[in-house]
Amino acid sequence: MHPDLPKLLDVQGKDRRLAELGVTMDALVTERAVLDAALERVRADIAAATRMAADYARRRDETAAKLDTQRSNQEKRRVRLESERNPRLAAQLMADVELARSILAQEESDWMRLADDATQRASLVAEAEARVAALEEEQAEARAAFAAQMAEIQADVDAAKAERESAASALDRTLRTRYDRLRNARKTEILVPAEKSICTACYTAIPSSRIGRLEAEGLLLEGCEMCGAIIYLTDAVV
Ligand SMILES: [Zn+2]
């Protein structure tokens, strides 16, 4: 057996373990994102309800300010009416007072409606806030479980990285550089077994000029001519 073959297979096995842990971690992150999205939707409800409540409160307050001005103008007309001696001007003032009274009555009823609406809108904000609080409580257990699982996997990742590093340091520098380059370039495995003189990564036949060395050493370090995978014989691994 070629002396580099067991070392390479060891590094590849540890890379495989790291990749598996990465997949597990990604799955957890994806699942946790579902909780985040649910919470985000309810939080968006609060934001929308708050904007609406603020809008109603502003309109209520504007109407109240307008009413104050109109009431004070009406009061001034009444005062003028009491002291007006000219019958024609008094009749005109009387008509103005009557008109203003009906406008005021309408505005007062508008204000009351706005005040009711504003109160109702404020209670919708409180309801949305209660829904967020309830959902946060409902998710707390699941989030704690995710955090625990993630911490556990992260510890496994850290350990697996250290093991990988130690396995990789057993390779000579050139081979390690080559392996790492292939690892970055290939989605599939770097060391693949030959089967009936065929590379099992790309199913290209290994040239007869190389078969002899593969059979003698159990390893073709220069790799597959077609896909670059490093080829080995499973028989060589005991
Ligand atoms: Zn190949």
Side-chain angles (χ1 to χ4, degrees):
M1 180 179 23
H2 193 291
D4 287 325
L5 181 54
K7 296 182 201 165
L8 281 167
L9 286 172
D10 187 28
V11 176
Q12 171 158 284
K14 286 176 164 102
D15 278 340
R16 196 185 295 134
R17 165 85 177 132
L18 269 172
E20 284 163 4
L21 287 170
V23 168
T24 310
M25 186 62 112
D26 286 350
L28 282 174
V29 168
T30 305
E31 280 182 62
R32 196 185 52 184
V34 173
L35 296 184
D36 291 343
L39 204 52
E40 216 35 65
R41 276 195 298 277
V42 188
R43 284 195 179 127
D45 289 348
I46 293 186
T50 303
R51 276 197 303 276
M52 196 65 96
D55 187 44
Y56 273 91
R58 180 183 52 77
R59 283 161 61 192
R60 175 201 60 202
D61 296 345
E62 281 171 2
T63 308
K66 214 164 87 184
L67 265 174
D68 280 349
T69 312
Q70 285 171 339
R71 284 197 190 105
S72 119
N73 289 345
Q74 182 73 325
E75 196 45 43
K76 286 174 196 155
R77 281 187 209 100
R78 284 213 182 87
V79 171
R80 279 216 308 279
L81 181 59
E82 275 168 25
S83 57
E84 187 53 66
R85 297 293 169 245
N86 181 322
R88 194 178 57 81
L89 289 179
Q92 182 58 54
L93 268 172
M94 180 64 93
D96 288 350
V97 166
E98 281 307 312
L99 180 62
R101 198 205 312 278
S102 76
I103 291 171
L104 257 172
Q106 180 60 51
E107 300 253 324
E108 269 162 1
S109 95
D110 286 352
W111 174 80
M112 282 196 289
R113 207 184 57 243
L114 279 169
D116 280 351
D117 286 348
T119 306
Q120 202 191 338
R121 293 289 168 177
S123 73
L124 290 181
V125 174
E127 278 172 30
E129 281 168 347
R131 278 205 305 280
V132 168
L135 190 56
E136 277 171 345
E137 202 184 315
E138 193 185 307
Q139 289 185 349
E141 204 177 314
R143 282 185 186 277
F146 276 131
Q149 278 174 290
M150 281 173 176
E152 206 174 296
I153 290 165
Q154 190 54 55
D156 288 351
V157 167
D158 293 345
K161 270 185 184 155
E163 280 174 31
R164 195 271 177 195
E165 186 51 37
S166 132
S169 67
L171 298 174
D172 78 61
R173 185 189 287 272
T174 318
L175 189 53
R176 182 175 177 174
T177 307
R178 171 122 184 281
Y179 177 93
D180 283 338
R181 205 167 46 233
L182 281 168
R183 181 165 166 253
N184 291 331
R186 291 173 64 82
K187 288 189 178 68
T188 51
E189 297 219 294
I190 291 141
L191 279 105
V192 301
E195 221 171 71
K196 297 191 177 84
S197 312
I198 285 169
C199 162
T200 54
C202 70
Y203 297 98
T204 301
I206 298 154
S208 50
S209 59
R210 293 172 157 201
I211 292 287
R213 197 162 61 258
L214 175 61
E215 281 175 350
E217 299 189 341
L219 182 65
L220 257 187
L221 266 181
E222 67 261 51
C224 170
E225 285 182 319
M226 187 58 70
C227 72
I230 297 174
I231 296 164
Y232 70 96
L233 286 179
T234 38
D235 298 348
V237 186
V238 188

